[in-house]
């Protein structure tokens, strides 16, 4: 609301060129003029006029009356011209404010040329009340990504950017389905009363929620006041699922003193990158690591591999080649951990066995023979392997040139015509040698081939061996 006190004063002040300049205070205004001392007929000259307000005034009007022999050329600002009367109007002037008028004139006759000026105004007294406006602003920030089970913290800043106090400010935060207030409470809305907020003031809050489901979670906050328009902002977080798979592949059966390859498979099955991934393998003391496809931190019974990160869908394969000198069931155990807290384990066991390796040799003691001359066929069998073989059995077959007479050896032999059958040798130990002998004689001339066939539990298909004897 404004209160005005108005005083209207009007005065006319005559001015002469002989005075050159003049000034006078007229009520709340001061007016002054300045002109040159002499000019020539037809010459233009400038009258500089200044208005100065002593107090706040309204409806200011300056007027200049020209005497005969003076012609108006122009002015800055332009004047309102009515014959020999020039006027300038100003809506208002503040205390101490000045206005300049440059009036260009021309002398048209000889003699004294006089310009008289007057100023009028309405003095005012102004009382001012400021009307402000409260304007709310809110900013919400949070992480761009998070994983299921992780705590997600948002920052909310509320500001009053206006010029008046925001009253009864309230905050409402709406929680999306991918987030939860806590692991035990399923609140979907959080409300806070912030009180009054002065112009330029701000308040900052943090809100911690838990990621409970995969998806793009947009958390919206709304700010309202009793005397300001409501505002809102949101922060969106991509909630991802962590996942890892650890598989250890090995052979069900391997043989001692032979290499056996095992494969450790690490797979990121989620949609978030796994970091600081550590895989550790603990190996039975009956096994020895020969080599790995990816260098390990330490060998022996414990080996470790560290990966800075494994992206979603990425797979790491580690081949581990081992060897053993010991029969039996030997196991490898693997474990996995990540910076995100995932833990996995796997194990795989291999039955390590020895193997039988049977060597059969046959020689004759006399060669060549003459008809009715005898010779002995010595059959030697060796287990060169590392495991037992069972039911080792040989059969010897003679051609028409030679006939078997008798048989002896590790087991009983039976002669039937041109064939000798030995009973099975029940348990054939590693590095053991067994021997069989067959006495025979030449019965007809020719180049004879004596054949022996060996079978066992290991060798299901007969293994042949042959010896030549020439009969004359």
């Amino acid at each position: 609301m404004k209160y005005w006190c108005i005083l209207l004063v009007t005065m006319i002040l005559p001015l002469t060129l002989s005075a050159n300049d003049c000034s006078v205070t007229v009520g709340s205004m001061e007016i002054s003029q300045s002109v040159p001392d002499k000019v020539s007929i037809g010459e233009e000259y400038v009258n500089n006029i200044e208005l100065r307000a002593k107090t706040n005034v309204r409806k200011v009007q300056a007027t200049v009356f020209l005497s005969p022999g003076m012609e108006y050329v122009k002015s800055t600002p332009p004047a309102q011209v009515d014959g020999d009367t020039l006027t300038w109007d100003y809506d208002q002037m503040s205390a101490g404010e000045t206005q300049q008028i440059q009036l260009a004139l021309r002398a048209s006759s000889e003699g004294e040329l006089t310009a008289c000026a007057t100023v009028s105004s309405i003095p005012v007294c102004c009382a001012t009340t400021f009307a402000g406006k409260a304007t709310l602003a809110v900013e919400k920030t949070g992480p761009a990504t998070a994983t299921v089970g992780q705590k997600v913290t948002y920052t909310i800043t509320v500001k009053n950017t206006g010029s008046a106090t925001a009253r009864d400010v309230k905050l409402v935060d709406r929680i999306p389905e991918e987030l939860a207030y806590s692991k035990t409470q399923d609140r979907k809305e959080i409300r806070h009363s912030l009180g009054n907020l002065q112009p330029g003031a701000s308040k900052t809050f943090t809100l911690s929620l838990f990621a409970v489901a995969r998806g793009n979670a947009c958390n919206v906050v709304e700010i309202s006041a009793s005397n300001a328009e409501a505002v809102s902002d949101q922060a969106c977080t991509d909630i991802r699922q962590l996942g890892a798979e650890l598989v250890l592949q090995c052979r069900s059966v391997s043989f001692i003193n032979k290499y056996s390859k095992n494969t450790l498979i690490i797979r990121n099955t989620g949609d978030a990158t796994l970091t600081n991934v550590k895989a550790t393998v603990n190996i039975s003391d009956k096994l020895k690591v020969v080599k790995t496809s990816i260098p390990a931190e330490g060998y022996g019974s414990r080996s470790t591999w560290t990966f800075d990160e494994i992206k979603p869908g990425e797979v790491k394969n580690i081949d581990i080649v081992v060897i053993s000198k010991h029969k039996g069931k030997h196991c490898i155990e693997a474990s996995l951990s990540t910076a995100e807290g995932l833990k996995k384990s796997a194990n795989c066991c291999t039955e390590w066995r020895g193997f039988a390796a049977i060597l059969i040799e046959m020689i004759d003691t006399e060669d060549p023979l003459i008809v009715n001359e005898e010779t002995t066929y010595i059959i030697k069998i060796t287990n060169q392997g590392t495991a037992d073989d069972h039911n080792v059995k040989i059969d010897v077959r003679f051609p028409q040139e030679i006939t078997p007479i008798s048989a002896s050896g590790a087991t009983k032999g039976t002669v039937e015509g041109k064939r000798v059958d030995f009973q099975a040798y029940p348990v054939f130990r590693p590095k053991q040698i067994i021997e069989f002998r067959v006495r025979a004689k030449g019965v007809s001339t020719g180049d004879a081939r004596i054949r022996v066939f060996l079978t066992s539990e290991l060798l299901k298909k007969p293994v042949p061996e042959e010896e030549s004897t020439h009969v004359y």
Side-chain angles (χ1 to χ4, degrees):
M1 183 178 293
K2 298 182 179 179
Y3 300 91
W4 291 5
C5 295
I6 303 174
L7 175 64
L8 177 61
V9 177
T10 303
M11 180 178 290
I12 299 176
L13 174 68
L15 301 175
T16 64
L17 288 175
S18 59
N20 294 328
D21 53 37
C22 66
S23 67
V24 69
T25 298
V26 184
S28 298
M29 293 293 298
E30 179 183 0
I31 186 169
S32 62
Q33 291 190 102
S34 177
V35 295
D37 183 31
K38 294 180 180 180
V39 295
S40 300
I41 295 175
E43 181 183 353
E44 288 185 13
Y45 63 95
V46 176
N47 182 352
N48 291 306
I49 304 171
E50 181 181 273
L51 304 177
R52 182 182 299 275
K54 298 293 187 179
T55 62
N56 295 334
V57 293
R58 296 284 179 93
K59 303 294 184 182
V60 179
Q61 186 177 72
T63 304
V64 173
F65 301 97
L66 303 179
S67 66
M70 303 175 70
E71 295 180 0
Y72 170 76
V73 179
K74 61 181 180 180
S75 69
T76 304
Q80 299 178 42
V81 180
D82 183 10
D84 292 333
T85 303
L86 310 176
T87 59
W88 294 264
D89 292 320
Y90 301 90
D91 182 61
Q92 64 181 7
M93 290 179 67
S94 301
E97 182 181 352
T98 62
Q99 295 289 345
Q100 305 294 330
I101 301 172
Q102 289 186 326
L103 173 61
L105 301 172
R106 180 183 295 111
S108 60
S109 63
E110 185 178 9
E112 292 187 344
L113 304 177
T114 303
C116 297
T118 183
V119 62
S120 65
S121 65
I122 301 176
V124 294
C125 175
C126 301
T128 303
T129 298
F130 178 76
K133 179 181 179 181
T135 303
L136 295 174
V138 62
E139 181 182 23
K140 184 168 191 175
T141 59
T145 61
T147 57
V148 174
Q150 183 181 357
K151 181 184 286 188
V152 185
T153 299
Y154 296 94
T155 300
I156 302 169
T157 300
V158 182
K159 296 180 181 179
N160 181 359
T161 61
S163 54
T165 298
R167 305 186 183 281
D168 192 20
V169 181
K170 289 182 169 48
L171 178 152
V172 178
D173 192 277
R174 307 190 188 283
I175 302 174
E177 61 183 10
E178 295 86 1
L179 299 171
Y181 181 72
S182 72
K183 293 182 178 180
T184 58
Q185 297 185 39
D186 191 25
R187 293 172 60 180
K188 291 302 179 186
E189 191 174 271
I190 298 173
R191 293 179 176 269
H192 285 299
S193 179
L194 310 184
N196 296 336
L197 200 59
Q198 297 297 322
S202 65
K203 292 185 178 181
T204 299
F205 310 87
T206 58
L207 173 63
S208 293
L209 304 173
F210 287 89
V212 294
R214 179 186 296 181
N216 189 36
C218 289
N219 188 210
V220 179
V221 63
E222 297 175 355
I223 306 297
S224 62
S226 62
N227 63 333
E229 294 183 4
V231 293
S232 65
D233 194 18
Q234 69 176 11
C236 294
T237 301
D238 184 14
I239 308 297
R240 301 177 180 180
Q241 180 69 57
L242 290 173
E245 181 182 33
L246 181 67
V247 177
L248 182 58
Q249 296 177 342
C250 64
R251 295 176 180 175
S252 59
V253 176
S254 288
F255 295 97
I256 61 175
N257 296 325
K258 297 294 183 183
Y259 291 161
S260 180
K261 186 178 80 170
N262 306 268
T263 301
L264 185 65
I265 302 171
I266 305 167
R267 180 179 288 107
N268 185 342
T269 59
D271 52 13
T273 297
L274 301 177
T275 60
N276 194 26
V277 181
K278 290 188 176 181
T280 300
V281 168
N282 292 304
I283 299 173
S284 166
D285 59 2
K286 299 294 191 293
L287 299 173
K288 178 182 178 182
V289 176
V290 178
K291 62 179 179 180
T292 60
S293 58
I294 298 177
E297 302 167 20
Y299 281 102
S301 62
R302 184 181 180 90
S303 299
T304 301
W305 294 265
T306 301
F307 302 96
D308 292 338
E309 65 177 24
I310 300 180
K311 297 183 182 300
E314 188 177 358
V315 178
K316 299 289 187 182
N317 292 326
I318 305 171
D319 292 333
I320 307 166
V321 179
V322 298
I323 194 169
S324 179
K325 296 180 179 180
H326 307 278
K327 297 178 185 178
K329 186 178 181 180
H330 309 320
C331 299
I332 299 176
E333 296 182 348
S335 62
L336 178 75
S337 65
T338 73
E340 293 73 25
L342 287 183
K343 295 183 182 297
K344 297 291 179 179
S345 62
N347 66 80
C348 197
C349 297
T350 299
E351 183 68 32
W352 286 80
R353 299 175 182 175
F355 53 89
I358 307 302
L359 172 67
I360 181 172
E361 300 171 282
M362 182 170 58
I363 61 171
D364 50 6
T365 57
E366 295 290 339
D367 185 13
L369 301 177
I370 61 173
V371 174
N372 291 323
E373 186 179 5
E374 293 184 4
T375 186
T376 298
Y377 293 94
I378 302 172
I379 303 163
K380 185 169 70 172
I381 302 172
T382 304
N383 185 350
Q384 300 180 108
T386 55
D388 294 345
D389 198 0
H390 298 82
N391 298 320
V392 178
K393 188 176 184 301
I394 63 169
D395 298 324
V396 187
R397 299 174 189 178
F398 288 85
Q400 63 180 5
E401 295 87 357
I402 299 176
T403 298
I405 300 171
S406 63
S408 63
T411 60
K412 183 180 179 181
T414 301
V415 178
E416 292 184 1
K418 296 288 188 180
R419 178 171 177 163
V420 178
D421 293 326
F422 287 92
Q423 292 180 358
Y425 190 83
V427 180
F428 196 19
R429 304 293 184 190
K431 310 308 178 187
Q432 185 180 359
I433 299 172
I434 56 177
E435 190 174 278
F436 301 89
R437 291 173 178 261
V438 178
R439 190 164 59 89
K441 69 177 181 178
V443 294
S444 63
T445 61
D447 185 11
R449 294 290 187 272
I450 296 86
R451 304 187 73 194
V452 60
F453 295 91
L454 182 146
T455 59
S456 69
E457 195 172 274
L458 174 67
L459 303 170
K460 306 292 186 185
K461 186 177 180 180
V463 177
E465 178 67 11
E466 188 175 83
E467 178 68 19
S468 67
T469 303
H470 199 83
V471 182
Y472 292 95

